[in-house]
Amino acid sequence: MSNVGGLRTGHGAGRRRPAWITGTVAEAHRLTSEPLARLRRGRLPLAFGSAAAVLVLWSLHFSALGTYVLRLISDVSASTPFYLVIVRLPASMYAPAPNLPVWGSLLQVFAVFGIAEACVGRRRTLTVALTATFLCTLSGRIMCYLGPGTVVGLPWISRYVSDTGPSAAVVALVAYVCCVRRAPRALTVLLTSMVTEVTLLPNLAGREHVVAIALGIIAALSVPAARRLRRASRGALSPDSGIVTDDHAVLP
């Protein structure tokens, strides 16, 4: 019996998967289980709506009037006046990207927005996406202003490169969700791919993707800090603290 038990134990140990595979599978399950469940119930309105927005804006390319409208509502570059960047921000996030086919934009937006919507909610997903898009566009303007004479600067011609598309929002959301849902392996893959991209293609888009990763990580780190600050402020204003009540100040 002991030999049989030993053989069984050894057989089970031999079939044990490496830790990195087990961790990767666990991360994938953690990131996709809830989105897939909601997808089966059709409860991903932000993901469906965002994909539809990408498709509608892309379809405007097929007519001269549509192209004019698309440029009017979404065209953004480092040379665009700042107030127009703010006005065009939502549409520029869903507008076609210069070097990305429409099916790539659709796949990115639907998958990443769907995962983020299921994991952190619609409001936070839109907040992170729009903020990252705006700040990445701003960082592009700064890099173009610095010029090619600096380490992070870009050639002046980059001021006129179209800076539209969902890539910055998608990268920031992936980094954010990976931090919030404890997926360090997925975050490492994302960071490695973006650093490789900016090394091989040191253009405006590549550098903005690295900025987007940093923004996603900062946003994820700021959430627990904001919660602690909120709890501290509530504790300071509670009746037990001897500071403030609803209508009367309580002296300590």
Side-chain angles (χ1 to χ4, degrees):
M1 292 295 292
S2 60
N3 290 337
V4 174
L7 289 173
R8 286 179 180 175
T9 303
H11 182 64
R15 296 180 58 184
R16 187 176 300 166
R17 291 181 296 184
W20 66 270
I21 294 181
T22 305
T24 302
V25 172
E27 286 184 8
H29 178 73
R30 205 158 47 239
L31 294 175
T32 60
S33 58
E34 179 63 19
L36 289 175
R38 291 197 181 192
L39 179 61
R40 286 192 291 268
R41 298 193 299 267
R43 294 180 57 186
L44 290 175
L46 180 60
F48 283 106
S50 298
V54 170
L55 196 59
V56 168
L57 291 177
W58 170 75
S59 66
L60 293 177
H61 267 136
F62 293 99
S63 67
L65 178 61
T67 301
Y68 172 77
V69 171
L70 181 64
R71 293 186 60 185
L72 185 65
I73 66 174
S74 68
D75 190 41
V76 170
S77 68
S79 61
T80 305
F82 197 71
Y83 73 94
L84 282 180
V85 173
I86 298 175
V87 172
R88 296 173 177 176
L89 177 63
S92 69
M93 185 174 69
Y94 295 122
N99 300 317
L100 185 67
V102 64
W103 62 265
S105 295
L106 283 171
L107 183 61
Q108 283 185 4
V109 166
F110 185 76
V112 175
F113 275 63
I115 291 173
E117 180 181 5
C119 292
V120 300
R122 288 191 293 272
R123 183 181 301 176
R124 199 177 298 179
T125 298
L126 273 179
T127 300
V128 173
L130 289 172
T131 303
T133 301
F134 173 73
L135 292 180
C136 284
T137 302
L138 180 61
S139 71
R141 296 170 74 94
I142 295 173
M143 287 184 280
C144 292
Y145 174 79
L146 292 175
T150 60
V151 177
V152 297
L154 288 167
W156 299 109
I157 193 64
S158 300
R159 288 172 50 86
Y160 306 101
V161 174
S162 182
D163 194 13
T164 58
S167 297
V170 165
V171 172
L173 280 173
V174 172
Y176 180 80
V177 173
C178 286
C179 291
V180 171
R181 283 303 180 98
R182 306 288 196 276
R185 292 171 179 82
L187 181 61
T188 301
V189 171
L190 176 68
L191 182 59
T192 303
S193 62
M194 293 298 102
V195 170
T196 302
E197 177 192 10
V198 77
T199 302
L200 298 178
L201 298 171
N203 54 13
L204 178 62
R207 296 190 182 192
E208 286 187 357
H209 292 167
V210 176
V211 174
I213 292 179
L215 292 173
I217 295 174
I218 292 171
L221 294 176
S222 67
V223 171
R227 288 175 179 170
R228 286 194 295 268
L229 182 62
R230 204 178 302 126
R231 292 194 195 101
S233 63
R234 287 175 182 172
L237 296 176
S238 65
D240 295 337
S241 65
I243 299 177
V244 176
T245 60
D246 291 339
D247 297 314
H248 305 282
V250 179
L251 296 177

